[in-house]
Amino acid sequence: MKKIIGLSCVVLFLFSCREKKSGTEDVETAQKETHKDLYGSWVGDFIVAGSDEYEGDMSSANDKINIIIKSITKDGVIGQSIVSGNVRPLSGKISANGNQISFILDEPGTDKYDGRFEFKLKGDTLIGVWNAYKTELKWPEKSFKLLRKAFVYNPNLMLSADYGYVDWSSEKVKSQLDTLEDGTIDTTSINSFYRSASDKIFKINASNTALKENDLKNLRKLDLQILRNTIFARHGFTFKKQTYKDFFNPIDWYVPISGNVDKELTNLERQNIKLLLRFEKYAEDNYDTFGR
């Protein structure tokens, strides 16, 4: 009788071990990372679906979005979306049908701008759309085509001289009365004026050079602001203010990766930022008229 009981215990033990091992293997399979070649930053324009892609001056530049894929397993996908100063966690699913790989990734839903990303991998491009959860707010559907683009900090990066840096979001309107010879007013004309930067922004680098007061004395306020914010752009700061989005989103080297890069700043950059801020308080802007 003891032998039968002992044998039963052994069988039960072995069965239990197999069951436990099988369960462990299932968990390990679910947690095993796949498609690691898709990890990293995917960057491109984030535009209203159906609208034209960016062409022309910076006044019509699109938002730039970075979708970071951090982990892919059988259980799900973990990532992050970064656009217009918003940094949001993403989670969802990946599905594969032959060579076709598709994603559905959701933002948490705790912010009014949160929504769902649905996209597919076509060649070397992620192509898809984003829709807001809160349809009553009538946020338009956004589309995107993203390419892999690694962020690399480089203190020598400069703004492109191919663009004219005009702050289209700072319009000042002035009216002018046209008076006839007899003293009567004929017409009233309305003119728009905008802040513009000088070519100094292409010659001064506040990330690799210790600035002196003489370097900044005659600069416009917009010059100083651009020099300061180019420091943050080099570190991948995502801008909320329209002025800086217009300036940096079209720049090829700019990759938004964080809403706070303070810890990444070098001592030289911190010193230069303090000096630039001090001069910004008293600097004046140059306003001029520009054709749109």
Side-chain angles (χ1 to χ4, degrees), residues 90 105-109 111 113-117 130-133:
L90 295 175
L105 300 183
D106 292 319
E107 293 170 318
D111 186 277
Y113 296 104
D114 282 354
R116 166 172 287 185
F117 291 90
W130 170 90
N131 280 285
Y133 296 137

Side-chain angles (χ1 to χ4, degrees), residues 29-48:
T29 300
Q31 293 178 344
K32 184 178 180 181
E33 294 184 74
T34 62
H35 299 290
K36 291 185 179 181
D37 56 309
L38 300 180
Y39 288 12
S41 293
W42 295 79
V43 182
D45 286 345
F46 195 50
I47 64 178
V48 175

Side-chain angles (χ1 to χ4, degrees), residues 6-21:
L7 183 60
S8 298
C9 289
V10 171
V11 172
L12 184 61
F13 175 75
L14 291 174
F15 180 77
S16 176
C17 287
R18 288 198 192 99
E19 192 177 49
K20 188 173 182 180
K21 185 176 181 181

Side-chain angles (χ1 to χ4, degrees), residues 65-68 79-83 86-90 107-108 114 117 130 256:
I65 186 170
N66 180 7
I67 292 180
I68 302 176
Q80 195 174 44
S81 65
I82 303 169
V83 60
N86 293 316
V87 180
R88 305 299 290 157
L90 295 175
E107 293 170 318
D114 282 354
F117 291 90
W130 170 90

Side-chain angles (χ1 to χ4, degrees), residues 163-192:
Y163 302 102
Y165 290 83
V166 177
D167 183 6
W168 298 110
S169 63
S170 66
E171 180 182 20
K172 277 191 175 182
V173 177
K174 294 182 180 180
S175 59
Q176 181 176 338
L177 302 179
D178 294 330
T179 307
L180 299 177
E181 290 183 1
D182 61 2
T184 60
I185 297 175
D186 182 25
T187 59
T188 300
S189 58
I190 304 295
N191 295 316
S192 295

Side-chain angles (χ1 to χ4, degrees), residues 49-109:
S51 64
D52 294 331
E53 294 187 12
Y54 165 67
E55 289 182 4
D57 63 32
M58 290 185 165
S59 65
S60 57
N62 295 312
D63 286 333
K64 181 175 281 189
I65 186 170
N66 180 7
I67 292 180
I68 302 176
I69 297 177
K70 298 180 176 181
S71 172
I72 301 175
T73 66
K74 185 179 178 181
D75 275 353
V77 181
I78 301 297
Q80 195 174 44
S81 65
I82 303 169
V83 60
S84 298
N86 293 316
V87 180
R88 305 299 290 157
L90 295 175
S91 61
K93 297 289 185 180
I94 182 174
S95 60
N97 183 8
N99 294 327
Q100 183 68 65
I101 297 176
S102 303
F103 293 83
I104 297 179
L105 300 183
D106 292 319
E107 293 170 318

